[in-house]
Amino acid sequence: MICPPCTDAGGWFNLNSLYMSCSEVLSRRRKLKTFMLFVKDLIRQQVAAGGRFLFEHPAGSVVWHDDEMQQWCQELTSFITHMCCFDLHLPARENKPKRYIRKSTRLLCSHSDMEVLQRHCPGESDRKSVV
């Protein structure tokens, strides 16, 4: 299971970077690039050894724009799943029930039998409160 930090790979980083210095933005991008070089090396090693891997990152992450990641998404098994189906939620507070968080997440897997992890949010039809 490979899941590098998503802090600097999109979403809030894109908004927050407007308030960061240029040097901090570049530093964070370099750190993400270093993580991804390490991750891709681990994936290559695992595949070469005949092992299995699962890489997880938010669906909107910039890591999915990487040429090698795009190639692997074509060659291997890749799909989007929703984290609310795995009980990702905001905790209940006072008189408010817990609220599920959809969080669209792309998974890249070495083997197609891992597609059992592909689940989609039932949304309003499930009567759960989804954020």
Side-chain angles (χ1 to χ4, degrees), residues 42-87:
L42 284 177
I43 290 172
R44 284 190 290 274
Q45 287 178 35
Q46 192 72 354
V47 170
R52 300 169 70 90
F53 79 87
L54 183 142
F55 175 84
E56 178 269 334
H57 232 247
S61 169
V62 297
V63 306
W64 300 113
H65 299 288
D66 175 85
D67 290 340
E68 194 166 21
M69 294 300 285
Q70 286 184 348
Q71 181 181 345
W72 285 338
C73 284
Q74 296 296 317
E75 295 171 358
L76 302 169
T77 300
S78 178
F79 53 87
I80 292 177
T81 192
H82 295 141
M83 291 291 116
C84 57
C85 298
F86 299 95
D87 204 33

Side-chain angles (χ1 to χ4, degrees), residues 79-111:
F79 53 87
I80 292 177
T81 192
H82 295 141
M83 291 291 116
C84 57
C85 298
F86 299 95
D87 204 33
L88 179 64
H89 65 274
L90 298 172
R93 292 193 156 204
E94 298 169 10
N95 62 345
K96 295 181 182 178
K98 69 180 179 182
R99 294 188 62 202
Y100 289 88
I101 302 171
R102 182 173 289 128
K103 190 183 178 192
S104 293
T105 301
R106 179 172 290 280
L107 300 180
L108 172 64
C109 310
S110 58
H111 292 73

